[in-house]
Amino acid sequence: MNTSKISLFSKVVLLVVSALFFASLWFPMWRIELKAPQYPEGLVLQLHANKIGGDVAIINGLNHYIGMKTLHTEDFPEFQILPFIVGFFGLFALAMIFVNRIKGAILLFLSFILFGVLAGVDFYRWNYEYGHNLDSNAAIVVPGMAYQPPLIGYKQLLNFGAYSIPDVGGWMLIAAGILLFIIVVKETHLVNKFFRKPKIDAVLILLLSFSFMSCGDFKVEPIKLNADNCDFCKMSIADGKYAAEVITQKGRVYKFDDISCMANYCKENASTKIGAYYVSDFTQDNNLIPAETAFFLSGGAIQSPMHGGIIAFSNEKDAKEFGTKLNAKPITWNSIITK
């Protein structure tokens, strides 16, 4: 293993890593969001390094009806040791600045990866036990039904949608892991295997900036006509020429049979952070395009499913031609989403 000294760049990054580890202790590290018609604003279970937070009392009340054990911080020994583990990593990163050896930085990175794997396994085990070990005498018993939330991502549990994702503290730990990887790549000169004349510092500084940015690449999900329902009016989506879709910053997809339904849904759920908006190109059946780049028409002879009277086009030429045919007027995306 390499025993040479680390660069000034890596020392600065290690200082940031240490700060991220310590700062993560002040914020929830994971969250499980629950949404259902009877709880339109949703319920949140937040896992801190040393406790369970959020809407614990309400969720425990719901768990009682389905025979699931109630959640209490004192039942989990992990909350007793996790703050010390994270604090250890913070001190480890800080010490490596003074130890000044590449092998120490590599050891820190590998140790943190191992911790992440073990934490994931433990979290899955915790979810599995609580979701499967149910009281057979509970008020609500669905044969064969388990209530294990997803390890990460979205899962439907009866009429509840459960979404499991890192919280602020968790994202800090993920950022720390990315930065440690950058240090290992730089100090072990892995980039040299791919670039003949690498400008390593410039490349890694660019990666460093990306590590603090959320991913803006939202993958559109095709709408299944006559199978998917509108998330606003609940009608079946039958005509792809008028359909629309939004994807939240957490990756949840909502589909609509009318552009006006999408606009109304976003207004009524203003607290939901939308990552991307898509609308159907009127000249193509069920082809979603980014709303921000589309050209829109409103009014005239346009007959959309819920009488919103708005259609979209991927190019301005088609919009002008149909504007004349349908006696419709141009309208901007901003006016649609804000009016």
Side-chain angles (χ1 to χ4, degrees):
M1 188 175 290
N2 202 324
T3 59
S4 60
K5 296 181 179 181
I6 62 177
S7 65
L8 177 62
F9 171 87
S10 294
K11 289 182 179 179
V12 173
V13 176
L14 277 171
L15 185 61
V16 175
V17 168
S18 178
L20 286 170
F21 278 126
F22 287 120
S24 69
L25 294 172
W26 296 94
F27 298 93
M29 294 188 172
W30 205 269
R31 64 192 289 123
I32 298 176
E33 298 181 1
L34 300 171
K35 282 195 173 183
Q38 63 268 43
Y39 294 100
E41 296 182 0
L43 300 172
V44 178
L45 184 71
Q46 293 180 304
L47 305 180
H48 298 250
N50 63 341
K51 66 179 181 180
I52 302 175
D55 302 307
V56 183
I58 299 176
I59 293 173
N60 277 340
L62 294 171
N63 288 349
H64 173 74
Y65 285 106
I66 59 175
M68 185 184 292
K69 288 175 59 179
T70 54
L71 302 167
H72 305 282
T73 298
E74 56 270 21
D75 292 337
F76 299 91
E78 292 90 341
F79 292 124
Q80 300 296 321
I81 62 175
L82 187 56
F84 294 101
I85 294 175
V86 176
F88 167 77
F89 280 120
L91 290 173
F92 197 162
L94 194 61
M96 288 306 100
I97 298 175
F98 302 98
V99 172
N100 197 22
R101 289 293 183 270
I102 293 175
K103 68 176 182 179
I106 295 175
L107 180 61
L108 173 59
F109 174 67
L110 294 178
S111 299
F112 183 62
I113 293 298
L114 178 61
F115 162 72
V117 172
L118 293 177
V121 171
D122 184 61
F123 186 46
Y124 178 86
R125 177 193 60 80
W126 176 72
N127 283 339
Y128 183 89
E129 290 181 356
Y130 269 75
H132 286 78
N133 296 336
L134 306 175
D135 185 355
S136 59
N137 297 317
I140 300 175
V141 177
V142 180
M145 181 68 187
Y147 300 95
Q148 180 183 358
L151 183 64
I152 186 169
Y154 177 79
K155 185 178 182 180
Q156 190 71 31
L157 301 172
L158 293 182
N159 64 329
F160 276 89
Y163 201 97
S164 179
I165 193 171
D167 211 320
V168 176
W171 288 117
M172 288 181 175
L173 294 181
I174 291 172
I178 293 173
L179 295 180
L180 286 173
F181 175 72
I182 290 174
I183 291 173
V184 172
V185 169
K186 173 178 171 53
E187 300 301 336
T188 57
H189 305 290
L190 292 178
V191 178
N192 286 329
K193 297 180 180 180
F194 304 99
F195 296 96
R196 183 172 297 177
K197 296 180 179 180
K199 295 182 178 180
I200 298 177
D201 284 345
V203 172
L204 292 176
I205 288 173
L206 180 61
L207 289 173
L208 178 63
S209 66
F210 285 157
S211 70
F212 292 100
M213 297 172 61
S214 61
C215 178
D217 183 16
F218 298 95
K219 186 177 180 180
V220 64
E221 182 177 303
I223 292 176
K224 300 175 183 177
L225 299 181
N226 300 308
D228 289 332
N229 292 329
C230 176
D231 281 297
F232 181 74
C233 69
K234 309 305 179 184
M235 300 293 287
S236 176
I237 304 177
D239 195 334
K241 292 180 179 294
Y242 302 94
E245 180 177 296
V246 298
I247 306 176
T248 69
Q249 291 184 359
K250 296 177 181 178
R252 180 81 182 271
V253 177
Y254 295 93
K255 301 176 181 180
F256 309 94
D257 63 345
D258 193 307
I259 293 175
S260 65
C261 281
M262 175 178 68
N264 290 329
Y265 178 88
C266 293
K267 291 169 192 173
E268 290 190 4
N269 297 272
S271 61
T272 300
K273 296 180 180 179
I274 305 300
Y277 301 84
Y278 292 94
V279 292
S280 288
D281 185 337
F282 188 74
T283 63
Q284 304 177 46
D285 190 26
N286 200 19
N287 178 40
L288 294 168
I289 59 176
E292 292 85 350
T293 62
F295 299 88
F296 295 91
L297 294 177
S298 176
I302 298 174
Q303 296 292 327
S304 61
M306 300 307 295
H307 307 291
I310 301 173
I311 53 178
F313 302 86
S314 57
N315 65 76
E316 190 174 13
K317 180 182 178 182
D318 287 339
K320 288 182 177 179
E321 290 180 358
F322 276 89
T324 301
K325 293 178 183 178
L326 301 172
N327 193 29
K329 296 182 179 180
I331 185 172
T332 65
W333 166 243
N334 186 62
S335 63
I336 294 172
I337 204 67
T338 59
K339 72 176 182 178

